[in-house]
Amino acid sequence: MRIIYRIARTELSLLFYSPIAWFVLIIFTFQSGLIFTDSLKYWLQTEQSMGNYLIIRWGGLTHIIFAYDGSGFYGKIQATLFLYIPLLTMSLMSRETSSGSIKLLMSSPIKVRQIVWGKFMSMMVYCFLFILIIFLYILAAKFSIFSMDFSMAMTGLAGTYLLICTYSAIGLFMSSLTSYQMVAAVSTFVTLAALSYIRQVGQNIGIVRVITYFASLGGQTQNLNKGLISSADITYFILIIWLFLCFTMIRLSDARSLRSAGTKVLRYAAAIAGFIMLEYVCSIPRLTLYYDSTANKNQTLSVNSQRIIKKLKTPLTITAYTNMLDDHASFGLPDNWNADKRFWEPYQRFLPDMEFKYVYYYDTSDYTGFTIKENARLNMSQIAKKTADAYGYNINMLLPPAEMRKRVNLKPEEYRFVRLLKSGEKKTYLRSFDDYINGGQPTEYETIAAIAHLVNPAPKIVFVNSEYERSILKNDPEGYRRITIVPGSRWSLINQGFDIDTLSLKTGEIPIETNVLVIADPKIAFSPLEMQKIDRYISSGGNMLIAAEAGRKTVLNPLLNRLGVSIRNGNLLQGNDPLFAPDRIEAKFSQGIGNIFDKNKLIMEGHDSLMKVALTGAAGLEYDIKGDFKVEPVLITDSGNTWNKEESFSLDTGHISYKPDRGDQMSSVPVALALTRNIKGQQQRIMVLGDADFMNNQLINYEGNSAFIVQMFRWFNEGIYPIDTDIKTFDNNFRIHLDNLSLIRMIFLGVIPITLGVYCTLLLLYRKRK
C-alpha cells in the first residue's frame, strides 16, 4: 500500500505541475456555477410569478434543481464530464511510454497492480476536487431552500464521483495503449461516447440488447441522482472500474512477459466474461437491494401502493399487446424492452417475480395510416408491412387481425397499446394515454389503480340512463364518455380504479354493490316508480351525485327537496371573458373546501391555489341548514361578478329562453353542495351541482374540472379510491429572493474561479523559479 501511495503522490505532483489540471479545474468551476445559478434563477422567477404549485407537482425544489430528468444540475454536469477527464488521463501511462520510464517501472520490483492502482488513486484524489466544488453548490442550495433534501443531493454527489472514477479507469486504460498523449485523449473521448450511447445499438436483436444494456454507461446514475441507492447501480460502477483496471494490468503485464496473441485475447475475454456474469447476477431483481435516501422517500412507491402490492398472493404476469398501427406501438417494441423494464423497476423492487410477455399484431386503430393520402390504395396488411419495414422488423412477427381476435378481444380497448395484468385468475388492463404526462405512459397513480383491480373489488359507479340523461356512450360535447370509459383518457374513471355501469330506472333496480349513483341532467320528471327506487337507495345510505341544469327546477326539485336542497330560478351569467358565452361560469372553491377535499391535492392535480371549475348553463342552489343533512358549499360564484337571468326551458325545442327584464347582480351563489349524514353506522355522502356540464366531453379538458372530479369521487369513497399515491414534499419554497442571486453568481462565477486562477499562476511561477 505504501508503494501505491508513493506512486499516487508522485503522479499528483506531476499533474499539478501542468497548467492543464488547473485549467480544467477552473473551467469546470465556472461551467458548473453557471448551470447552478441559471437553475436557481429560473425557479426563483417561477416561484415569484406563478407560485409554488409547479414545484410541488414536480417533486420539490431539491429534486427539480438537482435531478429533474436530464435537465437537473447533476444531469447537465455529468453530460460534460467526458470533456474533462480525457485531458487529465491522457498522460497517465502514455507519458511513461514516450519518455522511456515505463522500462524502468517494468524492470523494477514494483508489481503491475501497484502501478495501476497508484495511477488510478491519483485520479481519484484529483477528481475529488470536482466533488468539493459541487459540494459548495449543495451548501448554497442548503441556505437557499427551506427544508432542502440534503441527503438526496449528497447521494447524487456520490453518483457523480462514481461516474468520474469510471471515466478515469477508462482513460487510464486508453493511455496505456499508446505513447501519444493526444491519441490517448481522442481514444478516451471515443470510448466514453461509445459506452454512453451503446445502449441504443442493436436493440431489436436479443443477445445484442442484453450485452449493450450491461455495457452501457448511459443512464446509470439516474437513480443515484434522484436519491435512490441501488446495489445494482453501485456494483455496476465497481465492476466496470475493475474491468478497465484489469485491462490496464493485462496490457502492462503483456509488455513484461512474452505471451501468444491467443493467450492475450483469452485474458481480455475472461475479464469481459467475468464482468458480464457478475453484473448479471448483481442485477437480478430478487438480489437487488435498495435504499431511498430522500427525506420524504419519494423514490419509493407510496405507502398505499405498497399496501396494495402486498395483497397480491400470486406472481404478476404482464403481457404487452402492441398494435404496429397504433401511435404508441414504440412502447412495446423490442427496441424498448429495456426501457419497459426500467418502467417496472419501482414495482419489481416489491414484486421481484414479475414475468413479462410481448405480443405483436396489426389491426385497425384511430392512429393507423388510413387517413394518410399515400396509404389510400393500400389494404391493412400492406400498411402493416410498410410500418414494420419502417421500424426495421419483419412482418411475420405480427399476428394478423383474425388470429389476434381469436386470442383476445381488444376492441373495447380500441386496439391501442395496452398491458394485460394477470395474477392468478384475475385480469385487468393497464393502458397508455393520449397526453404528454410521463410521455403517455401510466404513472404510479394509474398503475396501482390497475393492480388494485387484482386484489380488491373495484368501486362501482352507476349512471342513470333511463331517458334524456347525459350518456357515457356519446362523444358529443354534452356526453360523459371521456370522463368515464375512454381508454386513452388518463382522467377516465375506468383508469382511476372504478367500474362503470349504466341503469334504466324504468326497467332495472339499483344494484346493491353500487358505490355512487349518478343522476345527470334528467329532462323529464321521474315517474312514481322511479322515485320509489331512488328513495329506497337514499334511505339505505347510498351515495349520490346529482347534477342539474338551469331550467330543470320542476324536474329535479321534487327529488332535491327531500334532501333539503332546491334549484334557484334563472340562469347564472358571468360574461367577463369575451372568449366565452355569457353563461360560462368559473366557479371557485368555498372557504370550507378544506373540510371536504384535500386542498393540496386539488392544487397538485389541477391548476394552482386560484383554480376554478368551469360551468355552463348553471343554476344557483339553495339549502335548508336545519335539514337531516349537514350541508357544506363546495363551489361558489364570484361575488359581485355574477348575474341571474330568469329563463324557461322548452322540451319541444330543447332551447332555453331568456327573459331580459330580469338581470340582478348577485353575491356569491353556491353551485355545488356536499351533503353528509350518519346512517346505519356509516356516513352517507351526496353531491349536488347546479350544472351538469362540468364533466362533459368538452369541459373535462379544463384542468380544474378534472382535478375536481377526481377529488369528488375520492370524497365519495372516503379517500380510498382513486388511490392516493402522492408523497408530500417539504422543500417547496426559497429562503432567498431574486435580489440575492447576484451575490451567489458573483461568488461562483467570479470569486472562486478567479481565486483558483491567481493561486494557479502564483504556484506555477514559484515552481518554475525553484
Side-chain angles (χ1 to χ4, degrees):
M1 189 66 191
R2 183 179 299 177
I3 294 175
I4 294 175
Y5 171 74
R6 291 180 63 184
I7 293 174
R9 187 177 63 180
T10 302
E11 192 63 40
L12 275 173
S13 64
L14 290 172
L15 192 62
F16 281 106
Y17 276 138
S18 168
I20 292 179
W22 292 102
F23 179 76
V24 166
L25 193 62
I26 293 169
I27 294 299
F28 175 81
T29 302
F30 183 83
Q31 184 183 33
S32 55
L34 192 63
I35 293 171
F36 177 73
T37 54
D38 282 350
S39 183
L40 273 185
K41 179 181 178 181
Y42 177 82
W43 287 106
L44 278 166
Q45 291 172 335
T46 300
E47 183 191 47
Q48 183 173 307
S49 61
M50 303 176 64
N52 65 353
Y53 86 94
L54 272 180
I55 295 170
I56 296 173
R57 200 170 186 179
W58 292 352
L61 283 169
T62 312
H63 174 78
I64 291 172
I65 290 174
F66 284 96
Y68 188 72
D69 292 338
S71 62
F73 175 76
Y74 284 135
K76 291 180 178 179
I77 286 297
Q78 291 164 6
T80 62
L81 286 175
F82 76 96
L83 298 173
Y84 302 111
I85 303 303
L87 299 177
L88 301 169
T89 60
M90 64 182 183
S91 62
L92 288 177
M93 293 304 305
S94 59
R95 181 181 60 245
E96 307 285 0
T97 305
S98 61
S99 66
S101 59
I102 189 68
K103 296 179 181 179
L104 295 175
L105 285 173
M106 291 294 101
S107 61
S108 69
I110 300 175
K111 297 178 181 178
V112 168
R113 61 179 175 82
Q114 292 173 325
I115 298 172
V116 173
W117 277 107
K119 299 279 188 179
F120 179 67
M121 186 176 290
S122 69
M123 281 303 301
M124 290 179 66
V125 173
Y126 176 85
C127 291
F128 195 74
L129 296 176
F130 286 3
I131 300 305
L132 290 178
I133 291 169
I134 296 174
F135 182 70
L136 295 178
Y137 303 127
I138 295 176
L139 290 180
K142 178 73 173 175
F143 289 105
S144 302
I145 301 170
F146 282 108
S147 304
M148 180 213 169
D149 194 344
F150 188 76
S151 59
M152 190 223 86
M154 291 302 293
T155 302
L157 185 62
T160 303
Y161 187 58
L162 285 172
L163 185 64
I164 293 174
C165 291
T166 302
Y167 284 179
S168 299
I170 296 170
L172 176 59
F173 171 64
M174 302 310 297
S175 180
S176 70
L177 297 178
T178 177
S179 60
Y180 300 100
Q181 295 186 24
M182 288 307 300
V183 173
V186 172
S187 300
T188 305
F189 276 123
V190 173
T191 304
L192 293 179
L195 289 176
S196 296
Y197 296 101
I198 196 172
R199 185 175 289 189
Q200 302 174 16
V201 176
Q203 294 303 291
N204 57 348
I205 304 172
I207 185 63
V208 176
R209 180 171 57 249
V210 173
I211 293 173
T212 56
Y213 180 77
F214 287 128
S216 174
L217 284 169
Q220 293 292 347
T221 57
Q222 191 173 32
N223 285 338
L224 289 166
N225 291 346
K226 295 178 179 179
L228 181 63
I229 301 173
S230 162
S231 62
D233 292 333
I234 300 299
T235 54
Y236 169 82
F237 285 111
I238 293 173
L239 287 173
I240 202 164
I241 289 171
W242 168 85
L243 176 67
F244 279 94
L245 292 182
C246 281
F247 283 173
T248 309
M249 293 177 196
I250 293 171
R251 167 67 178 169
L252 295 180
S253 64
D254 285 345
R256 173 179 280 182
S257 305
L258 291 176
R259 293 187 178 93
S260 65
T263 303
K264 294 178 181 179
V265 171
L266 285 176
R267 281 156 61 85
Y268 284 107
I272 294 172
F275 166 77
I276 293 176
M277 182 182 66
L278 290 173
E279 174 60 17
Y280 175 78
V281 171
C282 293
S283 63
I284 294 174
R286 184 167 287 280
L287 301 179
T288 303
L289 303 176
Y290 295 90
Y291 175 71
D292 189 345
S293 68
T294 59
N296 57 353
K297 306 302 177 187
N298 62 16
Q299 294 305 306
T300 304
L301 295 180
S302 66
V303 174
N304 288 336
S305 298
Q306 295 179 46
R307 176 176 52 82
I308 294 294
I309 286 176
K310 287 177 181 178
K311 292 182 180 180
L312 285 172
K313 303 302 181 184
T314 54
L316 181 64
T317 300
I318 301 165
T319 304
Y321 291 104
T322 303
N323 181 2
M324 186 62 81
L325 302 183
D326 178 51
D327 190 47
H328 292 148
S330 60
F331 289 170
L333 291 176
D335 292 45
N336 282 317
W337 279 7
N338 288 327
D340 194 46
K341 289 180 180 178
R342 288 196 299 274
F343 170 83
W344 287 105
E345 185 179 0
Y347 308 91
Q348 271 193 306
R349 179 176 170 184
F350 302 96
L351 294 170
D353 295 326
M354 292 170 66
E355 181 182 358
F356 298 94
K357 297 179 180 179
Y358 299 89
V359 177
Y360 302 98
Y361 71 103
Y362 65 91
D363 209 327
T364 56
S365 169
D366 290 341
Y367 299 95
T368 59
F370 292 122
T371 58
I372 303 176
K373 291 182 180 180
E374 55 265 31
N375 291 334
R377 297 183 179 181
L378 302 180
N379 58 36
M380 192 190 306
S381 62
Q382 290 172 324
I383 295 176
K385 185 178 186 308
K386 182 178 178 181
T387 307
D389 290 342
Y391 278 109
Y393 294 102
N394 194 317
I395 185 66
N396 294 326
M397 71 177 284
L398 306 178
L399 296 175
E403 185 175 346
M404 184 63 189
R405 291 172 186 178
K406 291 178 183 178
R407 294 192 177 195
V408 60
N409 179 22
L410 294 179
K411 185 176 181 180
E413 300 300 321
E414 300 176 351
Y415 301 109
R416 302 166 54 87
F417 173 80
V418 68
R419 297 177 176 95
L420 177 66
L421 309 186
K422 182 180 179 182
S423 178
E425 297 300 319
K426 295 184 178 180
K427 302 177 182 179
T428 191
Y429 286 109
L430 177 62
R431 304 170 179 91
S432 57
F433 304 108
D434 301 326
D435 56 36
Y436 296 103
I437 300 174
N438 204 33
Q441 290 272 27
T443 62
E444 180 184 345
Y445 200 79
E446 295 82 32
T447 305
I448 291 301
I451 294 176
H453 271 78
L454 304 175
V455 297
N456 294 323
K460 190 169 188 176
I461 303 175
V462 177
F463 286 78
V464 172
N465 192 21
S466 302
E467 192 173 4
Y468 297 117
E469 289 90 358
R470 298 295 175 99
S471 172
I472 67 171
L473 302 176
K474 291 184 178 179
N475 279 317
D476 60 57
E478 292 191 347
Y480 283 1
R481 187 171 183 271
R482 285 197 63 194
I483 192 59
T484 53
I485 62 172
V486 170
S489 173
R490 190 179 297 272
W491 296 107
S492 182
L493 293 175
I494 60 170
N495 293 318
Q496 300 293 316
F498 295 98
D499 280 344
I500 307 298
D501 203 356
T502 59
L503 168 71
S504 172
L505 289 174
K506 291 183 177 180
T507 58
E509 294 290 335
I510 301 174
I512 298 175
E513 66 274 15
T514 300
N515 185 264
V516 183
L517 182 68
V518 180
I519 299 176
D521 191 21
K523 297 177 179 61
I524 59 175
F526 293 112
S527 66
L529 177 61
E530 292 172 322
M531 285 299 297
Q532 287 179 10
K533 295 177 181 179
I534 295 174
D535 284 339
R536 283 199 301 269
Y537 179 77
I538 294 175
S539 299
S540 67
N543 298 330
M544 290 186 70
L545 168 61
I546 304 172
E549 281 283 302
R552 306 289 194 268
K553 180 176 180 179
T554 57
V555 176
L556 275 174
N557 268 353
L559 169 60
L560 294 177
N561 290 159
R562 290 167 160 81
L563 308 174
V565 179
S566 62
I567 303 173
R568 301 178 64 162
N569 289 324
N571 185 53
L572 297 176
L573 306 178
Q574 209 160 61
N576 59 336
D577 192 334
L579 296 177
F580 299 110
D583 66 345
R584 165 71 173 254
I585 303 293
E586 291 197 349
K588 64 181 182 180
F589 290 98
S590 68
Q591 292 295 324
I593 187 64
N595 300 326
I596 306 167
F597 297 160
D598 186 332
K599 198 169 183 179
N600 287 328
K601 287 190 170 41
L602 281 171
I603 294 171
M604 288 182 66
E605 294 168 354
H607 192 57
D608 58 17
S609 57
L610 301 176
M611 183 180 61
K612 304 289 184 69
V613 176
L615 313 173
T616 58
L621 300 174
E622 297 176 329
Y623 57 93
D624 182 4
I625 61 175
K626 298 181 180 180
D628 295 337
F629 289 88
K630 178 184 177 181
V631 184
E632 185 81 48
V634 178
L635 297 175
I636 58 175
T637 61
D638 278 335
S639 176
N641 196 31
T642 306
W643 287 262
N644 188 58
K645 291 271 186 179
E646 191 173 337
E647 72 212 20
S648 61
F649 179 82
S650 170
L651 183 62
D652 295 331
T653 63
H655 296 294
I656 296 175
S657 302
Y658 294 101
K659 296 183 179 180
D661 58 325
R662 294 286 300 277
D664 303 323
Q665 192 169 12
M666 308 175 67
S667 59
S668 294
V669 178
V671 288
L673 302 172
L675 285 64
T676 58
R677 69 173 177 179
N678 292 321
I679 181 172
K680 297 183 179 180
Q682 64 181 13
Q683 189 178 71
Q684 183 179 22
R685 301 184 175 192
I686 297 176
M687 184 74 70
V688 181
L689 285 100
D691 177 63
D693 290 322
F694 77 103
M695 63 178 192
N696 67 23
N697 291 329
Q698 187 173 12
L699 292 187
I700 191 59
N701 294 320
Y702 199 65
E703 227 173 12
N705 289 47
S706 55
F708 170 68
I709 292 166
V710 170
Q711 283 298 309
M712 179 179 66
F713 282 103
R714 182 173 284 141
W715 174 73
F716 276 127
N717 289 275
E718 300 182 1
I720 300 175
Y721 286 92
I723 298 168
D724 182 10
T725 63
D726 295 327
I727 296 176
K728 187 176 181 180
T729 56
F730 304 99
D731 52 339
N732 303 322
N733 298 285
F734 282 103
R735 296 177 188 268
I736 62 173
H737 302 282
L738 274 171
D739 298 338
N740 308 124
L741 189 61
S742 57
L743 176 62
I744 297 175
R745 292 177 70 92
M746 183 179 69
I747 293 172
F748 288 119
L749 301 183
V751 174
I752 296 178
I754 291 173
T755 301
L756 284 174
V758 171
Y759 179 77
C760 164
T761 303
L762 294 175
L763 182 64
L764 292 177
L765 289 174
Y766 172 76
R767 287 182 172 176
K768 186 176 182 180
R769 289 176 181 176
K770 286 191 68 175

